[in-house]
């Protein structure tokens, strides 16, 4: 963890302060990312009905009571450091308003929830939540709640709404003590955290990536599809399968997703990122603070295995992942970035699985459907495509709901709609006693133009486009190569390039690594073998100019900062380097290697907002925090920096 200076004197309303927990750190960092590129919706929002004869005054009393009980509802965060401040009860007015509506029907609730979620919440100065009471003919019919993810998570919002509804019904049962994240901030021993990092990185290092990429979808990859599928029949089927195999329904759905991936792609080992609530202990069940986190679950399936074996394998992998779930995100992401750069591969999980569903972007269904049958709506937008299949599961009021988000270079609209229908069909077959063995081979052919590298799939034409973008590259052809070149005799991706005399294999390799994250649909293989040919030679490459690094990568020489933008970035890196720059230290901006990524210099996520602020003070902008968390070299990032407009403010604490 980066060493933090003591916080400044707190306002009179603050009762205690402390660092953000290892889970909150990610959401605190994520708020600095441009909103179209965020994974998690912020703020979260949901609603509950107001039971008669409760009044608006009753709603206000209940919200005031919950605010006094839950410290998370009166917590603010520091803009530049991962620190949170708990304020005394009554430190700010309740963030509640009332809106008149003609009728509080389902469509109105959806639209009103979307409108509330669209209003930004400032977690640095204001309460991290807000409420809106919908009035029909002057009487309260529903309460909408929105919360900022850095302080309250999705499970916490559900707890909050449940407790609000209980109070409105007159349930005055004694409440258990609520636990704030600050109460457990030091509970994780450092040795266990380090062991968890090693465990996670070891799993990631041995996993294929992006296995869905070449299967189906469109070639353009310029949008994503969002849909929701609801099924009444799947509710009972899911319970029957879960009871038979003695696991939770959530594990059954993850196993069904794994079975579908193996059936569709022929891959039997891949990575799933699974969101867990971390509320197994009784003391945490009523906490509304941020505790849910994502853990990596490595899926290993045996071809021909019956579904019972699949469930057992997924359950065991999930248990192991949860056991190692309390890691330190900032250090872990930096360590992963270093590992990715060494391997030349960006780890992309096949499935992102969340067992609490919220309406993504709060899209209202385009058409009505009978309440006892499935309802599917879909929206395609020219958004940045996603390399992962996102699936959210919820089980409520006898209905299984699957929210799916998928890039159209993975699945097209029809295939996206077919996915949840196919999953529900699998659950029905399993409930009826079928074994549904895992196929040994894919039943769906790969799209043309893709190559299966040792650690993932690669789009050959897009790699060629990346290499064409390097100055001095006159012509390039990318194709799979055999084991004739280099060590090990394994499959290679070979680039035959005609280049200017001053372009080296290391230049091209570094260029590919710097740009992979910017080209949708491209996942780097474990290594690139680049064959540069002299300008105008027009002949096959000379073996003496072949770069073949085996499982490694070409050695890139260090390079000090040269331009003004590079020197500003190097100075910011030195300033936020863990432990700070001690007096007389030899580590100066001139010693920063611009050919390495930020993580190579030991800078973690919690330091990124401060680094951006320092760049702003130096007069530069143009890069986002998620770019700094990647594997791009500092030189590549500095090239994207732009001078601030002359009238821009360049001093003080600037919130990124």
């Amino acid at each position: 963890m980066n060493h933090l200076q003591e916080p400044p004197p707190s306002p009179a309303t603050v009762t205690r302060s402390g660092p953000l927990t290892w889970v909150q750190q990610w959401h605190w960092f994520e708020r600095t990312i441009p909103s179209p590129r965020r994974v998690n919706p912020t703020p979260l929002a949901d609603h509950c009905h107001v039971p008669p004869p409760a009044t608006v005054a009753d709603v206000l009393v209940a919200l005031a009571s919950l605010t006094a009980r839950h410290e998370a509802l009166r917590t603010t965060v520091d803009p530049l450091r991962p620190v949170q401040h708990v304020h005394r009860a009554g430190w700010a007015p309740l963030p509640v308003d009332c809106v008149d509506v003609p009728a509080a029907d389902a469509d109105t609730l959806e639209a009103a929830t979307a409108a509330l979620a669209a209003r930004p919440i400032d977690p640095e100065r204001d309460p991290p939540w807000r409420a809106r009471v919908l009035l029909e003919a002057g009487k309260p019919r529903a309460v909408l709640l929105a919360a900022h993810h850095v302080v309250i998570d999705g499970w916490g919002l559900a707890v909050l709404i449940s407790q609000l509804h209980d109070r409105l019904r007159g349930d005055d049962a004694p409440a258990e003590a609520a636990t704030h994240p600050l109460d457990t901030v030091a509970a994780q021993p450092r040795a266990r955290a380090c062991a968890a990092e090693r465990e996670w990185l070891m799993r990631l290092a041995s996993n294929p990536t992006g296995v869905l990429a070449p299967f189906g979808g469109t070639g353009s990859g310029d949008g994503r599809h969002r849909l929701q599928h609801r099924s009444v029949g799947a509710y009972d089927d899911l319970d029957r399968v879960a009871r038979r195999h003695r696991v939770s329904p959530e594990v059954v759905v993850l196993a069904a997703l794994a079975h579908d991936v193996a059936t569709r792609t022929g891959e039997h080992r891949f990575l799933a990122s699974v969101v867990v609530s971390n509320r197994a202990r009784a003391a945490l069940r009523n906490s509304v603070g941020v505790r849910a986190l994502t853990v990596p679950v490595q899926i290993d399936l045996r071809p021909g295995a019956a579904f019972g074996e699949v469930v057992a394998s997924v359950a065991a992998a999930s248990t192991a992942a949860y056991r190692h779930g309390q890691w330190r995100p900032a250090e872990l992401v930096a360590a992963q970035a270093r590992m990715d750069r060494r391997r030349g591969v960006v780890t992309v999980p096949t499935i992102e699985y969340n067992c609490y569903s919220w309406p993504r972007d709060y899209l209202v269904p385009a058409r009505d459907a009978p309440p006892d049958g499935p309802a599917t709506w879909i929206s395609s937008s020219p958004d940045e495509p996603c390399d992962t299949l996102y699936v959210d599961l919820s089980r409520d009021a006898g209905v299984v709901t699957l929210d799916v988000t998928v890039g159209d270079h993975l699945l097209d609209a029809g295939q996206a709609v077919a996915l949840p229908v196919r999953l529900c069909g699998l659950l029905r077959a399993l409930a009826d006693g079928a074994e549904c063995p895992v196929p040994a081979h894919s039943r769906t052919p790969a799209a043309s133009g893709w190559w299966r590298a040792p650690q993932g799939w690669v789009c050959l034409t897009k790699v060629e486009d990346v290499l064409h973008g390097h100055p001095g590259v006159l012509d390039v052809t990318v194709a799979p190569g055999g084991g004739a070149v280099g060590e090990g005799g394994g499959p290679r991706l070979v680039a035959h390039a005609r280049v200017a005399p001053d372009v080296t294999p290391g230049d091209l390799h570094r260029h590919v690594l710097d740009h992979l994250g910017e080209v949708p649909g491209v996942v780097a293989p474990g290594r690139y073998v680049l064959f540069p040919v002299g300008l105008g030679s027009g002949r096959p490459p000379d073996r003496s100019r072949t770069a073949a690094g085996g499982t490694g990568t070409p050695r890139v020489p260090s390079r000090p900062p040269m331009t003004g933008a590079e020197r500003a970035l190097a100075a910011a890196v030195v300033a936020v380097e863990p432990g700070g720059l001690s007096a007389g230290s030899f580590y100066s901006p001139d010693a920063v290697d611009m050919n390495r990524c930020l993580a190579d210099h030991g800078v973690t996520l919690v330091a990124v907002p401060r680094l951006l602020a320092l760049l702003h003070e130096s007069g530069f902008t143009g890069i986002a925090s998620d770019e700094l968390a990647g594997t791009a070299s500092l030189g590549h990032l500095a090239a994207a920096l732009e001078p601030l407009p002359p009238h821009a403010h360049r001093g003080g604490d600037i919130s990124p």
Side-chain angles (χ1 to χ4, degrees), residues 318-470:
S318 300
T319 300
Y322 302 162
R323 186 182 306 122
H324 295 279
Q326 291 188 346
W327 29 257
R328 297 166 296 163
E331 284 77 359
L332 183 57
V333 172
Q336 181 185 347
R338 286 193 296 270
M339 180 188 71
D340 285 347
R341 192 164 178 83
R342 285 197 305 269
R343 293 192 304 157
V345 58
V346 179
T347 302
V348 179
T350 301
I351 302 171
E352 182 91 20
Y353 181 55
N354 191 353
C355 300
Y356 176 86
S357 179
W358 57 77
R360 289 188 176 273
D361 286 356
Y362 301 96
L363 298 173
V364 179
R367 57 181 175 81
D368 294 329
D372 58 345
T376 299
W377 51 262
I378 190 163
S379 173
S380 302
S381 58
D383 197 358
E384 294 185 8
C386 48
D387 298 313
T388 298
L389 173 67
Y390 295 89
V391 178
D392 296 339
L393 165 72
S394 68
R395 302 169 70 244
D396 186 33
V399 178
V400 169
T401 301
L402 293 169
D403 288 299
V404 178
T405 300
V406 60
D408 66 0
H409 63 297
L410 302 184
L411 302 175
D412 61 27
Q415 293 163 338
V417 170
L419 172 65
V421 175
R422 191 165 60 245
L423 290 176
C424 291
L426 176 62
L427 292 175
R428 170 55 55 87
L430 293 168
D432 290 341
E435 292 190 353
C436 300
V438 177
H441 304 287
S442 168
R443 296 177 182 173
T444 307
S448 61
W450 289 83
W451 175 68
R452 179 65 168 94
Q455 292 161 309
W457 290 92
V458 180
C459 180
L460 302 181
T461 57
K462 291 184 178 178
V463 175
E464 289 180 353
D465 291 342
V466 168
L467 288 170
H468 271 298
H470 188 282

Side-chain angles (χ1 to χ4, degrees), residues 36 47 203 226 238 247 262-263 281 327 332 373 396 470 478 590:
H47 60 265
R203 289 167 186 251
R226 298 179 177 92
L238 183 56
V247 295
T263 300
R281 293 191 291 121
W327 29 257
L332 183 57
D396 186 33
H470 188 282
V478 176
D590 290 337

Side-chain angles (χ1 to χ4, degrees), residues 79-312:
L80 295 178
R81 301 172 309 136
V83 173
Q84 55 190 329
H85 308 286
V86 178
H87 298 260
R88 60 174 172 79
W91 72 283
L94 289 177
V96 184
D97 61 15
C98 297
V99 174
D100 290 298
V101 295
D105 54 20
D107 288 345
T108 300
L109 286 175
E110 290 281 0
T113 303
L116 186 64
R119 294 183 58 192
I121 295 177
D122 184 355
E124 301 166 12
R125 301 171 181 84
D126 302 326
W129 63 281
R130 64 166 49 98
R132 174 165 291 169
V133 183
L134 297 187
L135 303 176
E136 180 184 326
K139 295 183 179 180
R141 297 301 186 190
V143 180
L144 317 178
L145 284 173
H148 200 286
H149 213 332
V150 75
V151 181
I152 300 169
D153 63 20
W155 275 272
L157 183 61
V159 169
L160 184 60
I161 288 176
S162 177
Q163 293 180 358
L164 172 63
H165 193 261
D166 288 343
R167 278 165 171 73
L168 294 178
R169 289 189 307 167
D171 183 1
D172 296 325
E176 300 178 13
T179 303
H180 190 274
L182 279 177
D183 299 330
T184 55
V185 69
Q188 175 61 59
R190 185 176 180 84
R192 286 187 60 188
C194 293
E197 288 183 11
R198 291 192 298 270
E199 173 82 10
W200 200 46
L201 293 174
M202 180 183 69
R203 289 167 186 251
L204 294 180
S206 62
N207 245 295
T209 58
V211 297
L212 285 179
F215 292 87
T218 65
S220 60
D222 57 359
R224 65 175 66 187
H225 310 299
R226 298 179 177 92
L227 65 94
Q228 184 178 88
H229 181 85
R230 295 189 290 271
S231 174
V232 175
Y235 191 93
D236 292 333
D237 294 337
L238 183 56
D239 273 348
R240 290 168 61 189
V241 177
R243 287 195 301 269
R244 178 181 306 159
H245 298 291
R246 299 183 178 181
V247 295
S248 70
E250 291 76 13
V251 168
V252 170
V253 173
L254 179 57
L257 280 167
H259 187 282
D260 191 80
V261 169
T263 300
R264 184 171 182 83
T265 68
E267 299 288 342
H268 297 96
R269 164 182 275 197
F270 47 89
L271 192 69
S273 295
V274 181
V275 181
V276 293
S277 72
N278 268 340
R279 286 174 169 82
R281 293 191 291 121
L284 302 178
R285 285 174 189 162
N286 292 315
S287 170
V288 304
V290 176
R291 302 196 178 273
L293 79 160
T294 301
V295 295
V297 177
Q298 180 169 299
I299 306 295
D300 285 286
L301 304 180
R302 182 180 63 83
F307 190 77
E309 183 179 327
V310 173
V311 170

